[in-house]
Amino acid sequence: ADLIATYYKNTSQFSKEIEIREKLRSLDPWNLKLELALAQAYLAMSNKSKLEESVDRIKSLAPESPEYQEALLLLKPTTDSP
């Protein structure tokens, strides 16, 4: 199923990716990499509230993890301006 979710991500079908990853999360709620992938998908869909929930979930599971540090970066506004 993760392969299917990755396919949806790579083809910019983020709502389908989220649907699959949320089902996977219900089966494996401790999977940090899965939660980080969900956070990235929420960001791609501009769903800030779900993004924040996902980052909070990663923090509650493993606040010292590299996944949490990466997730925090997703919350920062992007500044592409010079």
Side-chain angles (χ1 to χ4, degrees):
D2 187 59
L3 187 59
I4 295 169
T6 301
Y7 167 78
Y8 287 138
K9 175 184 177 183
N10 292 339
T11 57
S12 300
Q13 297 179 65
F14 301 113
S15 60
K16 289 181 179 180
E17 176 195 4
I18 289 169
E19 182 181 337
I20 294 205
R21 291 196 191 281
E22 286 178 343
K23 287 178 183 175
L24 289 172
R25 178 173 61 191
S26 70
L27 299 173
D28 188 5
W30 303 99
N31 188 326
L32 296 176
K33 293 190 184 308
L34 171 61
E35 195 64 46
L36 180 59
L38 258 172
Q40 292 166 337
Y42 293 138
L43 178 63
M45 292 289 293
S46 300
N47 190 334
K48 186 174 180 179
S49 64
K50 286 287 198 177
L51 168 60
E52 290 171 350
E53 286 176 23
S54 196
V55 172
D56 286 344
R57 183 184 298 256
I58 294 170
K59 180 181 180 182
S60 71
L61 293 173
E64 303 296 324
S65 69
E67 288 83 3
Y68 177 59
Q69 296 306 313
E70 191 172 339
L72 283 176
L73 295 174
L74 299 176
L75 293 175
K76 296 184 183 206
T78 57
T79 51
D80 294 337
S81 305

